[in-house]
DNA sequence: AGAATCTTCACAGAATCGTTACAGAAGCTT
DNA sequence: AAGCTTCTGTAACGATTCTGTGAAGATTCT
């Protein structure tokens, strides 16, 4: 079931949205100010974010831009008050995927939500190069260097790192790691993941015992920050 | 995935461009002054360069002219401030492929980017001659010589070497090698590739047991460096 | 047929992986 | 805050997998 986050401070609109989307079978969460919304958007893996522009504490613009800069590709649907014609373009320039002007009909909104979700499903593009801290990775050349110095990773370690980066800022469980990195049919103990995480840390962290990039989240799994 | 380099010093524009292009699935790099941009443009193999005219340290004009003089054929899209009408022509005379005047809409820019990439795509010509280390290959004449001395390769070995060079610096799997060099419908064990890699190494490497050009990447495949 | 070329087999060494085991950290209970 | 339980980091080590490479059988070419 698709998860949708709504960031909107006007209660009447928020309620209407929640009802409509819930009726369509989406799992709806909501935030009523910018900061709360921003942190929710960062933490959890929503499939779509509906974002008002005028918000207390942090504007929809800023949320949008920051999320995009953090590499998040979740589709964002902007809500704009009618007068703010200018904002439309700006919103899209910032990385939003679509917008709806208030007041809007539920039908229109649902149509756009569906369209965005459909569009987003497909191209799930893989990262082929990535840079974080003093490290650069090239997943095509299978090269990785730290402070310019090349270091060696095994194929499994590359795959693991790739997975972590693909899900950066998200906490991923050992099981989901096993599923995607090892494959569905292999049976391997979840603890094995820990072992390879440790190897990775040895190689890329400055201080493997207090890691900066690959963070363990007790009881849940791991999270890549970078 | 297409790689695009943006050379632009105005942060707001740069951010908007980066976001938009990234969303479209391009791999975006950027430089914020002329010199940095120029050296990046020279170094890496971008598919498209977006170039502002007014830049610190080195103008877009100069960058464009120098790149063209160096024989680079990468499409260049110029960004010009509206007043600079004259610049348009000049820009194109200098070897730019298209221009957009500020302010521009994201849609327009994306359309032009796509158009340029499509136009440039054309006949991705195969390599017909190549030189690396002390070796020269001519894939048309089927000749190869090392330190000037001609050596003999079988047709399969030529095809394999050609494939490797075509994908130089990238790690290619045995399966992808089989697909392209042997063809889709042939059934041959992946290990067979190893055998022919070994033969190639015997013929072109100085020290086949610790190869310099054809590098094995354990668990993944092979990579040609040269 | 004879020669050249290709494919598979087989084996040995090397690299990598999975599991176990244990100690210390984190969380919970009382 | 002490005591108990659960979870995590990591070293060690045997098991497994991967690669390079001769040898030999199969196929194609002339």
């Amino acid at each position: 079931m698709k998860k949708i986050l709504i960031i909107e401070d006007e209660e009447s609109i928020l309620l209407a949205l929640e009802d409509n989307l819930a009726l369509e079978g989406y799992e709806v969460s909501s935030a009523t100010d910018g900061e709360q919304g921003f942190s929710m958007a960062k933490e959890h893996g929503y499939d779509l974010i509906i974002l008002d522009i005028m918000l207390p504490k942090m504007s929809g613009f800023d949320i949008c831009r920051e999320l995009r800069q953090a590499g998040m590709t979740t589709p964002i649907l902007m809500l704009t008050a009618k007068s703010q014609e200018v904002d439309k373009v700006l919103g899209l320039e910032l990385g939003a995927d679509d917008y709806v002007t208030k007041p809007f009909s539920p039908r229109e909104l649902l149509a756009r939500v569906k369209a965005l979700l459909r569009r987003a499903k497909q191209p799930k593009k893989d990262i082929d190069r990535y840079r974080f801290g003093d490290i650069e990775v090239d997943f095509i050349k299978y090269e990785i260097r730290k402070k310019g110095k090349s270091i060696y990773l095994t194929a499994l370690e590359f795959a693991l790192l790739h997975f972590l980066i693909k899900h950066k800022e998200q906490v991923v469980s050992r099981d989901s790691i096993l599923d995607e990195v090892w494959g569905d049919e292999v049976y391997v103990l979840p603890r094995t993941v820990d072992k390879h995480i440790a190897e990775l840390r040895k190689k890329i962290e400055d201080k493997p015992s207090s890691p900066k990039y690959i963070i363990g989240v007790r009881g849940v799994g791991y999270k890549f920050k970078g």
Side-chain angles (χ1 to χ4, degrees), chain A:
Chain A
M1 188 204 302
K2 296 296 181 185
K3 286 188 285 186
I4 298 182
L5 172 64
I6 307 175
I7 311 180
E8 165 65 77
D9 61 321
E10 285 176 60
E11 196 174 356
S12 60
I13 298 184
L14 181 56
L15 286 177
L17 282 176
E18 282 180 339
D19 286 351
N20 272 291
L21 292 169
L23 266 178
E24 289 289 314
Y26 299 111
E27 187 183 319
V28 185
S29 311
S30 61
T32 51
D33 73 69
E35 283 177 8
Q36 185 198 358
F38 180 60
S39 67
M40 288 179 73
K42 273 196 311 188
E43 301 294 343
H44 310 290
Y46 296 101
D47 298 292
L48 175 75
I49 298 171
I50 299 179
L51 186 56
D52 193 8
I53 288 181
M54 299 282 282
L55 286 170
K57 296 197 183 165
M58 182 172 180
S59 84
F61 286 137
D62 295 331
I63 295 179
C64 184
R65 187 192 307 112
E66 301 246 9
L67 289 176
R68 289 301 186 232
Q69 274 186 353
M72 175 157 291
T73 58
T74 311
I76 294 179
L77 175 62
M78 288 277 213
L79 303 179
T80 85
K82 190 167 190 175
S83 63
Q84 307 162 305
E85 286 294 329
V86 211
D87 299 339
K88 289 184 184 178
V89 188
L90 256 172
L92 291 175
E93 276 181 359
L94 286 171
D97 298 87
D98 201 355
Y99 62 85
V100 176
T101 52
K102 299 184 198 173
F104 49 84
S105 75
R107 200 182 322 284
E108 179 186 2
L109 185 106
L110 284 176
R112 297 203 183 245
V113 165
K114 259 184 214 156
L116 282 180
L117 286 174
R118 182 163 10 91
R119 217 193 299 161
K121 182 179 291 181
Q122 306 158 20
K124 192 130 187 183
K125 57 188 171 231
D126 276 357
I127 305 104
D128 51 8
R129 287 206 259 140
Y130 193 73
R131 178 187 305 223
F132 57 98
D134 53 8
I135 293 181
E136 314 165 74
V137 211
D138 187 319
F139 291 105
I140 293 179
K141 297 183 181 174
Y142 279 81
E143 284 175 359
I144 172 168
R145 70 191 88 242
K146 183 178 175 68
K147 299 189 211 296
K149 288 186 52 133
S150 157
I151 53 189
Y152 179 77
L153 297 192
T154 70
L156 182 61
E157 284 157 3
F158 264 111
L160 179 55
L161 180 60
H162 189 249
F163 177 86
L164 290 174
I165 291 178
K166 200 159 119 193
H167 298 86
K168 66 178 168 160
E169 310 299 340
Q170 302 174 23
V171 180
V172 286
S173 70
R174 287 163 234 275
D175 285 329
S176 68
I177 294 176
L178 284 179
D179 276 355
E180 190 152 334
V181 177
W182 270 255
D184 317 315
E185 74 296 329
V186 195
Y187 105 108
V188 162
L189 300 180
R191 290 306 311 284
T192 301
V193 172
D194 298 2
K195 190 255 165 114
H196 293 285
I197 292 280
E199 300 296 338
L200 253 183
R201 282 176 175 158
K202 268 191 224 164
K203 294 180 181 179
I204 69 176
E205 297 278 1
D206 293 317
K207 210 161 162 297
S209 54
S210 55
K212 198 165 58 169
Y213 305 120
I214 306 179
I215 314 295
V217 180
R218 171 168 261 259
V220 190
Y222 295 96
K223 171 161 79 164
F224 182 86
K225 306 186 71 156

